[in-house]
């Protein structure tokens, strides 16, 4: 697990270079890792997946599930979990936060649609292969596999389920959570433009239960 050791070490080494003021400000957070550290970990995880260093964790024969979201934990310790997720069409995460965990992702292949609550409405963006995003505490979003060529077709309906997907063309992303994910809350947008928290669940599954 060379990559796991190097990834965590590199993140921790970066802490020693953090200016004293930043350390003071960030001391209120429940983790020493910063969004930049998580972005770097997901980038390194994606690189390792593409290089075949996690082939032993991938579905047999390279056949990716087409019915349900699939995930495998790439590395884990007390401070961070790093996951590889395969996304399937028409299966959104629902609108959620990550409780007390910071998060980040790097897209390896395909594209993701993210609908993020900006305080007054949901704003959509498309993340394609190579794109990264980080999620501070309080980030509320819904994520799903974007229909093919979504980056060129932003008018595609949010809940489209018409896309078919083969077992060999996955949409993949690497996610990191720190502290490791233990809970998520789910939300509804009310008729008068506010969020209502509908439930909170204990889970260590990335982006919620499959
Ligand atoms: Fe999420």
């Amino acid at each position: 697990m060379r990559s796991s050791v190097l990834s965590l070490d590199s993140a921790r080494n970066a802490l020693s270079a953090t200016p004293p003021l930043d350390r003071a400000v960030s001391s209120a957070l429940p983790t020493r890792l910063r969004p930049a550290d998580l972005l770097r970990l997901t980038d390194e995880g994606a690189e390792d997946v593409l290089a075949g260093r996690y082939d032993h964790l991938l579905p047999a024969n390279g056949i990716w599930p087409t019915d349900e979201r699939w995930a495998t934990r790439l590395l884990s310790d007390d401070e961070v979990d790093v996951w590889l997720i395969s996304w399937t069409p028409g299966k959104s995460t629902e609108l959620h936060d990550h409780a007390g965990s910071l998060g980040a992702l790097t897209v390896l292949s395909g594209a993701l649609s993210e609908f993020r609550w900006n305080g007054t409405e949901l704003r959509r963006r498309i993340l394609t292969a190579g794109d990264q995003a980080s999620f501070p505490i309080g980030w509320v979003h819904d994520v799903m596999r974007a229909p093919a060529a979504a980056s060129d077709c932003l008018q595609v309906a949010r809940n489209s389920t018409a896309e078919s997907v083969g077992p060999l063309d996955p949409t993949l992303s690497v996610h990191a959570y720190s502290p490791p994910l233990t809970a998520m809350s789910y939300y509804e947008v009310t008729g008068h433009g506010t969020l209502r928290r509908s439930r909170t669940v204990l889970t260590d599954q990335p982006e919620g239960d499959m």
Side-chain angles (χ1 to χ4, degrees):
M1 301 291 282
R2 178 205 65 79
S3 58
S4 304
V5 174
L6 287 181
S7 296
L8 291 173
D9 284 349
S10 63
R12 286 168 181 139
N13 290 339
L15 292 173
S16 62
T18 303
L21 179 59
D22 287 350
R23 280 203 295 269
V25 170
S26 63
S27 64
L29 296 175
T31 172
R32 298 188 305 159
L33 301 182
R34 305 275 70 85
D37 301 319
L38 299 185
L39 288 168
R40 183 167 53 254
L41 285 171
T42 61
D43 187 45
E44 292 171 355
E47 184 177 313
D48 287 341
V49 169
L50 292 172
R53 299 188 182 104
Y54 289 114
D55 282 357
H56 59 290
L57 297 178
L58 306 186
N61 304 318
I63 299 175
W64 298 87
T66 57
D67 295 330
E68 300 291 339
R69 196 153 28 98
W70 172 95
T72 188
R73 189 183 265 118
L74 300 180
L75 59 91
S76 178
D77 68 10
D78 290 340
E79 293 189 303
V80 65
D81 264 350
V82 180
W83 293 82
L84 172 66
I85 300 177
S86 172
W87 300 80
T88 52
K91 299 289 180 71
S92 87
T93 59
E94 300 182 50
L95 200 57
H96 67 273
D97 66 21
H98 312 98
S101 297
L102 310 177
L105 69 80
T106 294
V107 179
L108 278 75
S109 62
L112 296 176
S113 291
E114 182 201 45
F115 299 84
R116 183 214 163 199
W117 180 253
N118 70 358
T120 57
E121 62 181 354
L122 292 174
R123 298 297 300 270
R124 184 188 189 204
R125 64 174 168 173
I126 299 292
L127 301 168
T128 60
D131 286 346
Q132 294 190 291
S134 62
F135 314 124
I137 288 176
W139 192 271
V140 175
H141 68 171
D142 186 4
V143 183
M144 64 185 299
R145 176 180 170 130
S151 57
D152 301 322
C153 188
L154 296 179
Q155 71 274 23
V156 172
R158 175 186 176 191
N159 294 319
S160 171
T161 58
E163 184 197 13
S164 63
V165 57
L168 302 178
D169 59 346
T171 288
L172 300 174
S173 54
V174 171
H175 295 232
Y177 304 92
S178 183
L181 196 68
T182 56
M184 292 171 50
S185 289
Y186 290 86
Y187 297 83
E188 300 169 352
V189 179
T190 69
H192 45 279
T194 60
L195 279 186
R196 177 191 300 125
R197 182 180 290 170
S198 56
R199 68 189 191 279
T200 298
V201 298
L202 299 179
T203 181
D204 66 354
Q205 295 300 300
E207 299 306 299
D209 293 333
M210 307 294 133

